[in-house]
Amino acid sequence: MLIGYSTHQAKIALDKDNLVAIPTETVYGLAANALHTKAIAKVFSAKNRPTFDPLIVHIKHFNELTKYANASPKILKLAKHFWPGPLTILADKKSIIPELVTAGHGKVALRVPNHSLTLELLNLLDYPLVAPSANPFGYVSPTTAAHVFANLREKVDYILDGGDALIGLESTIVSEQNNQIVIHRLGGLSIAEISDFLKETPVLKIQNNSNPEAPGMLDKHYSPTCKLNLYHPGVRPKRSDALIWFGQGIPFGFKNVFNLSANSNLDESAANLFSYLRKLDELNFAVAYICKLPDVGIGMAINDRISRALAD
Ligand code: TXA
Ligand code: MG
């Protein structure tokens, strides 16, 4: 395993059907050649991910979309406007995409990530990359190269270090159904940004049960090992408990406080959330509390991740 800044080294590993961790603006991905079943299978096994949970295909440019899928005009309009960026579209897959990528579904998930190193890498390759978040299945997604190293070590050939993920939450996943834009996962692109651009309100179909078609949307996900509880004013903390807070007015009695954003900034909170959840485990807290954030803009996606991290 190597860690560095060389897209050339990353290409050498990928060309051999090995795994490379790539930086994106959302979270780090665990990448492999999206057209080679052998390489894709390694991704599932390194993450311990069930093969019925499909993968997102990362492409270098909007112009490449039609090589891999047929998308409706409205989905094309969205992709053209928001790519590169934290938007994943579901579109009818073409046969060049292996069934293993989509877990047998007729639609493939596609996105152009917005990170200069990863775009440079994609431009060196003549194939796209599958890349789920580079964490063990069910655990907190990585937002730094060190997070990937801590979790995957020998399972990955090369970690392309692109610094801290700017957004810190996964992409927003959309499709079109009956002429309407449907949001399947809340993420780095807010609903408001989509509706402002399209001048229509998308429909929310966020999976909230324990046996969904897309297991990435399981009730329990993004979970630290530490026992996480929702903070409420009745809590009487022990000295050893931790608190993940947002803004001013830190409740009395907590000795170990991690503030997502002291001045109540939602973007800053998104960027900090996953590394703070990991900190709970890195620092061996047994019990921690977390509060919910204002449910607006990217706050909705943050609250979605907090709910799943809290679920039993
Ligand atoms: O921001 C992101 O999207 C990151 C970075 C690395 O690009 N990737 C990511 O991948 O979050 P992953 O595998 O952790 O989450 C992908 C989600 C899963 O919930 C999966 O079930 C869903 O997308 N998904 C992928 N392909 C799909 C498909 N064809 N149909 C329905 N859902 C799909
Ligand atoms: Mg994931």
Side-chain angles (χ1 to χ4, degrees):
M1 207 283 305
L2 276 172
I3 183 161
Y5 311 103
S6 165
T7 51
H8 179 69
Q9 291 256 32
K11 172 179 160 46
I12 291 173
L14 290 165
D15 283 348
K16 288 193 253 175
D17 283 343
N18 287 331
L19 305 184
V20 168
I22 55 166
T24 84
E25 80 282 29
T26 59
V27 299
Y28 275 71
L30 182 62
N33 183 336
L35 306 181
H36 281 186
T37 306
K38 186 180 150 209
I40 302 160
K42 285 185 185 172
V43 172
F44 283 100
S45 106
K47 269 186 69 97
N48 245 330
R49 180 181 176 117
T51 50
F52 53 80
D53 189 5
L55 303 174
I56 297 175
V57 173
H58 295 66
I59 59 177
K60 65 184 105 183
H61 194 273
F62 171 78
N63 294 342
E64 297 259 300
L65 190 156
T66 51
K67 278 196 195 170
Y68 307 109
N70 289 313
S72 66
K74 215 189 279 184
I75 289 286
L76 286 173
K77 192 174 160 187
L78 271 179
K80 187 159 193 190
H81 185 72
F82 288 109
W83 283 354
L87 171 76
T88 294
I89 60 148
L90 299 180
D92 292 334
K93 94 184 234 332
K94 291 192 172 172
S95 58
I96 183 172
I97 299 289
E99 296 283 320
L100 186 56
V101 170
T102 61
H105 291 280
K107 290 195 190 294
V108 61
L110 291 168
R111 92 173 185 105
V112 180
N114 191 12
H115 192 291
S116 54
L117 263 189
T118 290
L119 287 171
E120 184 185 304
L121 171 63
L122 283 165
N123 276 295
L124 293 177
L125 306 174
D126 56 4
Y127 47 84
L129 295 172
V130 283
S133 51
N135 51 287
F137 187 64
Y139 195 62
V140 185
S141 302
T143 54
T144 68
H147 292 164
V148 180
F149 179 73
N151 288 155
L152 296 172
R153 288 172 195 262
E154 74 290 349
K155 291 184 178 153
V156 44
D157 247 43
Y158 191 76
I159 299 176
L160 190 58
D161 187 351
D164 294 359
L166 267 182
I167 295 178
L169 291 182
E170 294 83 350
S171 59
T172 301
I173 304 181
V174 304
S175 74
E176 182 173 344
Q177 290 174 13
N178 307 320
N179 264 322
Q180 287 181 301
I181 293 298
V182 175
I183 304 214
H184 298 269
R185 177 174 73 180
L186 294 167
L189 185 67
S190 72
I191 300 179
E193 286 169 281
I194 294 174
S195 38
D196 284 355
F197 173 66
L198 281 184
K199 306 276 176 268
E200 68 171 68
T201 310
V203 180
L204 274 185
K205 279 199 189 168
I206 312 298
Q207 214 103 37
N208 262 324
N209 59 63
S210 293
N211 189 22
E213 275 179 59
M217 301 315 292
L218 279 175
D219 281 357
K220 185 173 172 62
H221 207 83
Y222 311 100
S223 299
T225 310
C226 165
K227 174 68 188 132
L228 192 64
N229 307 288
L230 186 62
Y231 171 78
H232 62 89
V235 169
R236 296 282 165 267
K238 291 201 243 154
R239 280 190 79 84
S240 56
D241 294 348
L243 174 70
I244 298 182
W245 193 248
F246 171 77
Q248 299 295 305
I250 294 170
F252 183 75
F254 281 96
K255 302 285 170 230
N256 312 290
V257 180
F258 304 95
N259 204 336
L260 290 168
S261 171
N263 50 20
S264 305
N265 181 301
L266 289 173
D267 291 327
E268 185 186 5
S269 302
N272 284 331
L273 178 68
F274 287 156
S275 58
Y276 285 10
L277 289 174
R278 281 172 174 262
K279 262 202 178 96
L280 299 176
D281 290 344
E282 287 160 13
L283 301 174
N284 285 313
F285 287 106
V287 176
Y289 294 85
I290 190 166
C291 62
K292 288 282 181 82
L293 277 58
D295 214 27
V296 292
I298 200 172
M300 291 176 75
I302 299 173
N303 285 336
D304 169 271
R305 301 307 188 271
I306 292 175
S307 298
R308 291 173 207 278
L310 282 166
D312 286 316

